[in-house]
Amino acid sequence: MSSYIRLSPRVREALANGEPVVALESTIISHGMPYPQNIDTARQVEQVVALHGSTPATIALITGKIHVGLSDEDLVHLGKSGRSAVKTSRRDMAAVLSQRLLGATTVSGTMIAAHMAGIRIFATGGIGGVHRGAELTMDISADLMELGRTPVAVVCAGAKSILDLPKTLEFLETQGVPVIAYGKSSEFPAFFSPRSGLQAPWHIQTPEQAASLIKTSTDIGLKTGQVIAVPIPEEYAEDSRMFEQAVDTAVSEAETNGVRGKESTPFLLKRVVELTKGASLVANIALVKNNARVASQIAASLASMTGPFGQKRSNSRLFSSQSCFLQKKDQNASSSESRKHEQNPLVVIGGSAIDVTAQVSSNLQLHKPLAATSYPGTVYTSVGGVGQNIARAAHFLGADTVFVSAIGHDAYGNTVKYALGGIGMDTAHLQYPGENSRTAVYNALHSQSGDLVAAVADMEINGMISAQQIEEVISKTVPSVVGLDANISILATSTAITAAMQTRSCILFEPTSVPKCTSVLSALSFIKRSEMVVDVSRLVHIITPNQLELQRMSEVALELALIESSPLAETVHEMAEQHYMLEATIIRDALTLFPLFPVQIIKLGEKGAAIVSPSPRSPTTPIIRNIRPLKPSLIINSNGAGDSMVGAILASLYSRKVTVSNDGYLDIAPQDLDTIVSRAQKASIQSLESSLAVSEKLCPELIVSD
């Protein structure tokens, strides 16, 4: 695959498993519809594709790469950029990539990118064609040439009615492109109208028939695409006469104003929307979604016939976070088959949750105290939880991740499960503690300015993660690294520590919050009292607290007699003078905990991070240094930034296959640790700049290069 192709994690996993993927163009977002309808439509179209069994892959050119599968922030950026994005077909691709411009792919450009990525099905609104008067202007869309040389099936509503449809069909015949009417009628549709008066050369009525034709074309080595023409939904067909009259008027105006070439289609569509007072836009959105539905069904049928690299498939594993509510409870087991993992994977043990965030409308003032009434506003639901965020980030960054967590037998549990499965994560170790257990939910109410007003956290289930299963997972997988969050029980934490001690695995503990951060200390105290281990120092190798968590952990470590005494005041003063950017209290608390936790990565927010680790010359001597902060260009969401950073640290440790010495020290040089943390900050920045807790832009390259 070309180095210019950048697959999203979700698309990468689907293609690797031979699962159905549908390509989607991006010119329809930037040039085809006004903001914000363009973004809303793009999201809805992706949801339609997912709902009918396939993975959506919207394509655009961004900073020198062809992105196949866009994150939500990419969609928003593209939608807001509008026509400042370069409308990109075959002619433009090299120039847009080399100049690192923002490129929105046309039908032609999307076909090329889809073929490069190995995607056979593409859904769009309508294809370009031969323009009226082409015998004088030679204005013929590059889409038609591309269909003659790129083997991608294009599911569309025919050619746009602003074109010369008879000449368009003649040109496609010359190019050897099969044009197939889909559905009840054999008539070639004309975008807004299900009827053009022209018969399509071929007619099929089911996804299976379409998939069989596409597969046969591939099997016999044909290099042409196919046009699968789907008529506009019937409820919108009755307005087709009004649309055609508006099209004729718009074409006349374009000729008068000298609008030609690549600017003609956006001009005509915009003018038609104006002339029909928005009715054509509604119909346009409806037909695009209808085409996406048909394309997804065809892709699913094709995937059931062929697997990865064209091999015969016995079944197809279809994950969809959007369709999770359609699954019955007794179907859960079939969708959570354990994936085969590499030797010594990364194991993350921690909490999963559903985050429900409500924000009142901007023109309302909340009563103080809150009145017993309802407020108009917006409610967002997303998959969260510290452990889940960490595991997700590590997975995106290339780590072979085993995630152990607990969910309930409820709709929210299905949401967590299918969201993780949808990005290719193994869901076999998501536990169901009991029939009546509830998936963890964090429900927050925010004011119109975004400030937190109140929240309810139902996290009881995270303390029910089975210690026995934790022991089994660690003993069977022999992980190189184990990540723990503070949401799990003290028994589960102590079990994970002792099991990892047997496998000589590196353990990282994420303190999560001030009230929960001392759970690891209680677990170590339990291990010590049980006389399983005489000295509990260096059983946990890395901790990642913030300043307040660090302070609380040092206090409790002394209270539990896990540490004999605080460092001498003169030692703290001396090191504070060397590291003037760090507060003396940070140095004091870090030195206090150093005998227990030899590596401490202290998150300092806008001030970057501090690292405490053993000196290469004498492991019992700590060295401290600052890691300079990286500044985000825009902060959209801070919910998962710290978790993304921890996930990146774990992924880096996994990729380096870090080992633990007999005396409990990590075999890693201070400069390598500094590099890991510096790169992990990049993951944090990307999530800060994302509307998601963990940005889908995270990729393995982020932690292997500067």
Side-chain angles (χ1 to χ4, degrees):
M1 188 176 294
S2 169
S3 61
Y4 284 96
I5 291 288
R6 175 69 56 82
L7 301 178
S8 74
R10 183 167 50 168
V11 171
R12 184 190 304 118
E13 186 72 19
L15 290 173
N17 290 326
E19 295 167 8
V21 179
V22 174
L24 301 168
E25 65 160 289
S26 49
T27 294
I28 196 171
I29 303 171
S30 61
H31 291 68
M33 295 181 185
Y35 175 83
Q37 288 99 326
N38 53 359
I39 299 172
D40 292 338
T41 301
R43 290 169 176 157
Q44 291 169 21
V45 170
E46 288 197 343
Q47 289 171 359
V48 169
V49 170
L51 186 63
H52 289 87
S54 300
T55 295
T58 304
I59 295 172
L61 279 61
I62 304 173
T63 59
K65 297 290 183 182
I66 303 171
H67 287 247
V68 181
L70 301 186
S71 65
D72 191 66
E73 55 263 39
D74 288 332
L75 290 177
V76 172
H77 177 52
L78 194 61
K80 288 184 175 180
S81 297
R83 296 189 182 186
S84 65
V86 180
K87 192 175 178 182
T88 306
S89 64
R90 176 180 285 270
R91 179 195 67 180
D92 313 294
M93 292 190 82
V96 172
L97 289 170
S98 64
Q99 297 180 41
R100 301 173 66 83
L101 302 175
L102 177 63
T105 53
T106 63
V107 169
S108 168
T110 305
M111 289 182 70
I112 294 169
H115 180 54
M116 292 171 70
I119 301 171
R120 280 294 277 115
I121 311 293
F122 162 34
T124 186
I127 59 170
V130 178
H131 283 255
R132 301 178 188 186
E135 64 273 14
L136 300 175
T137 64
M138 294 301 292
D139 192 352
I140 300 172
S141 171
D143 298 351
L144 304 186
M145 294 294 293
E146 207 60 55
L147 280 159
R149 57 189 171 191
T150 303
V152 171
V154 180
V155 181
C156 60
K160 298 179 179 72
S161 51
I162 57 179
L163 304 168
D164 187 324
L165 297 186
K167 287 188 176 67
T168 296
L169 289 176
E170 287 288 345
F171 196 98
L172 288 170
E173 180 182 355
T174 302
Q175 294 294 308
V177 178
V179 177
I180 306 139
Y182 183 95
K184 297 177 182 179
S185 173
S186 61
E187 193 169 347
F188 182 69
F191 199 68
F192 286 129
S193 173
R195 293 172 294 277
S196 65
L198 303 169
Q199 290 294 305
W202 295 99
H203 176 216
I204 57 176
Q205 298 189 54
T206 67
E208 292 76 18
Q209 290 174 331
S212 178
L213 187 152
I214 295 165
K215 181 179 182 299
T216 303
S217 180
T218 302
D219 290 345
I220 63 177
L222 297 182
K223 302 301 181 184
T224 56
Q226 300 86 25
V227 175
I228 300 176
V230 183
I232 188 172
E234 291 182 4
E235 59 266 34
Y236 297 94
E238 60 187 27
D239 293 325
S240 59
R241 184 171 180 81
M242 176 184 67
F243 296 149
E244 293 305 319
Q245 291 174 346
V247 167
D248 290 340
T249 301
V251 169
S252 176
E253 291 178 0
E255 292 173 352
T256 301
N257 295 316
V259 179
R260 299 184 180 86
K262 65 193 295 185
E263 298 303 322
S264 62
T265 298
F267 171 84
L268 292 171
L269 290 177
K270 181 175 183 294
R271 190 70 185 110
V272 169
V273 170
E274 294 170 348
L275 292 169
T276 61
K277 298 180 179 179
S280 65
L281 178 60
V282 174
N284 194 354
I285 293 171
L287 69 83
V288 171
K289 291 165 69 174
N290 188 51
N291 296 342
R293 174 186 63 82
V294 173
S296 184
Q297 293 170 343
I298 294 172
S301 294
L302 184 62
S304 69
M305 301 174 185
T306 59
F309 314 109
Q311 298 171 355
K312 185 72 178 176
R313 290 177 60 89
S314 58
N315 54 45
S316 178
R317 181 167 62 90
L318 308 179
F319 288 105
S320 169
S321 59
Q322 285 84 359
S323 62
C324 63
F325 291 103
L326 303 180
Q327 308 296 328
K328 295 180 180 177
K329 189 169 74 174
D330 59 5
Q331 293 175 316
N332 288 342
S334 66
S335 63
S336 61
E337 297 173 1
S338 179
R339 202 163 50 80
K340 186 176 181 181
H341 292 277
E342 298 175 8
Q343 188 176 7
N344 310 122
L346 164 65
V347 171
V348 177
I349 305 167
S352 299
I354 292 293
D355 293 334
V356 181
T357 305
Q359 185 170 18
V360 299
S361 298
S362 58
N363 60 342
L364 292 175
Q365 293 291 328
L366 286 173
H367 298 95
K368 295 182 181 180
L370 290 179
T373 187
S374 62
Y375 295 90
T378 307
V379 178
Y380 302 94
T381 303
S382 60
V383 177
V386 173
Q388 187 276 149
N389 286 343
I390 291 172
R392 178 181 288 254
H395 171 74
F396 283 160
L397 291 163
D400 183 23
T401 306
V402 177
F403 180 44
V404 181
S405 191
I407 56 177
H409 274 301
D410 50 29
Y412 282 154
N414 285 343
T415 300
V416 172
K417 186 173 187 177
Y418 284 93
L420 293 175
I423 59 171
M425 288 186 65
D426 184 355
T427 61
H429 301 291
L430 295 179
Q431 308 169 10
Y432 295 96
E435 280 294 323
N436 297 320
S437 58
R438 303 179 305 277
T439 301
V441 175
Y442 178 77
N443 193 345
L445 172 64
H446 291 264
S447 67
Q448 64 273 16
S449 62
D451 295 329
L452 179 66
V453 176
V456 176
D458 181 3
M459 301 288 171
E460 182 182 18
I461 195 172
N462 289 327
M464 301 179 187
I465 299 173
S466 166
Q468 180 180 351
Q469 183 172 346
I470 290 172
E471 185 174 24
E472 290 174 357
V473 169
I474 292 176
S475 62
K476 287 180 181 178
T477 61
V478 191
S480 58
V481 185
V482 176
L484 308 175
D485 82 16
N487 285 300
I488 64 177
S489 68
I490 293 170
L491 176 60
T493 303
S494 60
T495 300
I497 292 171
T498 53
M501 183 176 63
Q502 298 300 319
T503 57
R504 298 281 292 276
S505 305
C506 166
I507 294 185
L508 180 149
F509 175 74
E510 163 51 41
T512 306
S513 67
V514 173
K516 298 176 181 178
C517 66
T518 59
S519 64
V520 69
L521 300 170
S522 298
L524 291 173
S525 180
F526 173 76
I527 294 170
K528 186 176 181 180
R529 293 197 312 272
S530 303
E531 298 183 353
M532 289 183 279
V533 179
V534 176
D535 183 7
V536 294
S537 299
R538 301 183 299 283
L539 293 186
V540 175
H541 309 98
I542 305 174
I543 59 173
T544 55
N546 61 28
Q547 184 175 350
L548 294 176
E549 292 161 354
L550 181 77
Q551 179 181 349
R552 181 59 181 155
M553 289 177 74
S554 68
E555 293 169 351
V556 174
L558 290 169
E559 292 172 5
L560 294 175
L562 294 171
I563 297 170
E564 293 182 359
S565 62
S566 298
L568 296 175
E570 51 266 32
T571 303
V572 173
H573 180 72
E574 180 182 342
M575 296 198 79
E577 286 188 336
Q578 297 173 10
H579 303 279
Y580 62 91
M581 294 185 67
L582 289 177
E583 296 178 19
T585 54
I586 294 176
I587 295 174
R588 179 201 64 203
D589 296 334
L591 294 180
T592 299
L593 291 171
F594 178 73
L596 266 185
F597 309 114
V599 175
Q600 301 166 40
I601 301 168
I602 305 162
K603 294 171 288 190
L604 300 176
E606 296 179 351
K607 296 180 180 179
I611 302 178
V612 181
S613 66
S615 167
R617 297 179 180 178
S618 173
T620 58
T621 302
I623 55 174
I624 303 177
R625 57 267 188 210
N626 281 103
I627 302 297
R628 291 189 305 170
L630 299 179
K631 301 293 185 182
S633 57
L634 176 68
I635 297 178
I636 298 176
N637 179 11
S638 62
N639 286 346
D643 299 340
S644 297
M645 181 176 178
V646 174
I649 292 168
L650 286 169
S652 294
L653 294 170
Y654 162 81
S655 68
R656 292 170 182 260
K657 298 300 180 187
V658 64
T659 58
V660 181
S661 67
N662 290 332
D663 49 5
Y665 292 103
L666 297 181
D667 182 20
I668 186 168
Q671 60 269 29
D672 292 335
L673 198 55
D674 295 355
T675 299
I676 286 174
V677 175
S678 295
R679 291 174 178 170
Q681 282 195 107
K682 296 180 181 179
S684 180
I685 293 296
Q686 287 204 350
S687 290
L688 281 171
E689 296 174 347
S690 168
S691 60
L692 304 172
V694 178
S695 172
E696 289 189 346
K697 285 187 174 181
L698 299 185
C699 60
E701 291 81 3
L702 194 70
I703 59 173
V704 297
S705 61
D706 290 320

